[in-house]
Amino acid sequence: MKALVHPTEATYDHIADAIADKGYCVLPQLLPANLNNALQQRVMNLDDEDFRRAGIGREQDFQLNNAIRRDETRWLTLDNKIDKTYLDQMAEFRLAINRRLFMGLFDYEAHYAHYAPGAFYKKHVDAFKGESNRVLTTVLYLNPEWREEDGGQLLIYAPGSDAVIETVNPNFGCFVIFLSEQFPHEVAKSYRDRYSIAGWFRLLDPLQAPLI
Ligand code: OGA
Ligand code: MN
């Protein structure tokens, strides 16, 4: 891949201000086009067997799971060059946000997600207060030429409310960030194959940290 053009300091300022002011930020574009393209190629070329039906927390009940979410996921790993490029970008992002907001973000995990036609993810939060160290959610969308009637919109709700405050089409290159514990959200039923990368910045969990 050609050299990356990194997000500018002004872009990070804008994101940090939005997180501090309202808790979320929707950017039509964040990463360089060549990285978005490489990630799209990668996710489209993954085989069906590479994906796992996503689960919901500790819930083992397939029926319940099926009623809540229908996406398939696959974790990004450092041993793949393209995954690593994205994870490196998110490491830079993490440091840029920590410098501005002192959030103490410690690490990041991310998976590719595929919503086949008919798939959705009902209203949920990514982290429950005190139960998880996930603090900041990111979603990068990898769908060229998405149309309103393709569905699959991300709906973001006001904290503790049924009011939708943001409707996001999963357009190619669009990048969304929100506080994981604050914002219930859902993925409306998608009528087309829908590809994205969902990720979470986490705080250091002393119970999971290796003993040194
Ligand atoms: C999730 C999620 C949103 C999206 O994976 O937890 O809410 O728009 N994804 O893909
Ligand atoms: Mn979510």
Side-chain angles (χ1 to χ4, degrees):
M1 199 184 307
K2 279 181 268 141
L4 287 174
V5 185
H6 294 262
T8 63
E9 294 298 314
T11 300
Y12 287 128
D13 287 344
H14 169 76
I15 295 167
D17 286 348
I19 294 171
D21 291 348
K22 52 180 193 170
Y24 72 93
C25 184
V26 179
L27 297 159
Q29 187 86 29
L30 173 72
L31 302 175
N34 59 344
L35 178 54
N36 288 333
N37 289 332
L39 292 165
Q40 190 217 358
Q41 288 307 310
R42 168 130 169 86
V43 73
M44 306 253 317
N45 288 328
L46 288 172
D47 289 331
D48 275 356
E49 304 90 75
D50 293 328
F51 283 101
R52 287 265 161 90
R53 270 300 303 280
I56 40 166
R58 288 174 287 264
E59 186 51 66
Q60 299 297 310
D61 184 338
F62 179 78
Q63 292 297 333
L64 179 58
N65 186 41
N66 217 30
I68 294 178
R69 69 187 296 185
R70 297 273 177 93
D71 57 327
E72 306 163 310
T73 61
R74 181 200 164 102
W75 294 103
L76 278 72
T77 54
L78 288 170
D79 57 19
N80 175 275
K81 249 177 76 180
I82 296 166
D83 291 8
K84 182 176 185 311
T85 307
Y86 182 76
L87 294 169
D88 286 350
Q89 282 270 348
M90 289 301 108
E92 177 189 296
F93 185 103
R94 182 171 62 77
L95 297 176
I97 296 303
N98 277 345
R99 275 197 293 274
R100 287 163 175 83
L101 298 179
F102 308 102
M103 286 184 76
L105 305 176
F106 177 72
D107 69 358
Y108 181 74
E109 58 185 355
H111 60 54
Y112 294 103
H114 170 227
Y115 289 70
F120 53 79
Y121 193 164
K122 294 273 168 68
K123 186 180 178 189
H124 66 281
V125 285
D126 287 345
F128 292 100
K129 262 199 164 36
E131 274 194 1
S132 160
N133 50 357
R134 286 179 171 180
V135 283
L136 198 60
T137 300
T138 65
V139 195
L140 170 67
Y141 296 106
L142 298 169
N143 310 289
E145 292 167 41
W146 197 265
R147 301 163 310 166
E148 195 70 36
E149 60 266 34
D150 294 328
Q153 284 81 16
L154 169 71
L155 308 179
I156 302 177
Y157 293 84
S161 153
D162 281 336
V164 174
I165 49 171
E166 207 72 49
T167 300
V168 183
N169 280 302
N171 290 325
F172 189 73
C174 178
F175 191 84
V176 178
I177 307 127
F178 56 87
L179 294 172
S180 307
E181 290 178 346
Q182 308 286 328
F183 292 94
H185 54 282
E186 75 176 81
V187 179
K189 188 194 278 191
S190 186
Y191 295 97
R192 237 177 88 182
D193 288 299
R194 175 194 193 269
Y195 296 97
S196 60
I197 300 177
W200 296 273
F201 290 105
R202 303 186 301 186
L203 299 179
L204 176 61
D205 179 351
L207 294 175
Q208 279 178 18
L211 296 171
I212 21 176

